[in-house]
Amino acid sequence: MQDILTMLNTLHRPRLMMRAARIGAQDYRRAAHLPRLLGYGVLPRHGAALLKLMDIEAALEEQRAQSDASYSLIRHLDVLIAMVAEARILRRAQAPAQPQAPAVLGVVT
């Protein structure tokens, strides 16, 4: 089974939608946005949330591709924004810790 981030890298969506999602992800607040998309209650961990969001997004993408009358571009963008933001959080959590360079003290003469 592929890991979550690899699965995300294989998704291909229209460029304008992804650009809007990346811009929207800058203002993402997990506690406010995620319950609206996944339902209220205890928030799932980042990986579990991302899998649920990917399932929702796949259904929305299917509706978009079929020109379904019930398709909502706004909801699709909301889900993409959450996916991008959750993926960023997950990547940061998985990244190895960067060694900190020793602080250089400035000496004023």
Side-chain angles (χ1 to χ4, degrees):
M1 180 177 148
Q2 296 178 330
D3 72 342
I4 299 169
L5 297 177
T6 304
M7 289 169 37
L8 281 176
N9 287 335
T10 61
L11 288 179
H12 297 288
R13 299 297 179 254
R15 185 175 296 162
L16 186 58
M17 286 178 70
M18 291 311 299
R19 184 171 183 216
R22 282 189 292 275
I23 291 169
Q26 295 172 357
D27 294 328
Y28 177 77
R29 289 177 305 149
R30 189 172 206 268
H33 292 98
L34 209 52
R36 185 169 33 104
L37 298 170
L38 299 181
Y40 292 90
V42 177
L43 294 179
R45 300 186 79 137
H46 299 294
L50 201 46
L51 286 173
K52 289 179 183 179
L53 290 168
M54 289 172 65
D55 288 341
I56 294 168
E57 195 277 335
L60 289 166
E61 178 62 19
E62 183 69 25
Q63 286 180 336
R64 184 187 73 80
Q66 293 180 355
S67 300
D68 191 333
S70 65
Y71 172 71
S72 170
L73 176 62
I74 294 170
R75 177 150 172 83
H76 199 166
L77 285 175
D78 277 347
V79 172
L80 284 172
I81 288 168
M83 284 174 59
V84 168
E86 289 291 324
R88 286 179 182 172
I89 294 168
L90 192 61
R91 279 188 186 105
R92 274 183 275 169
Q94 290 181 349
Q98 298 289 331
Q100 295 274 335
V104 178
L105 299 175
V107 178
V108 179
T109 56

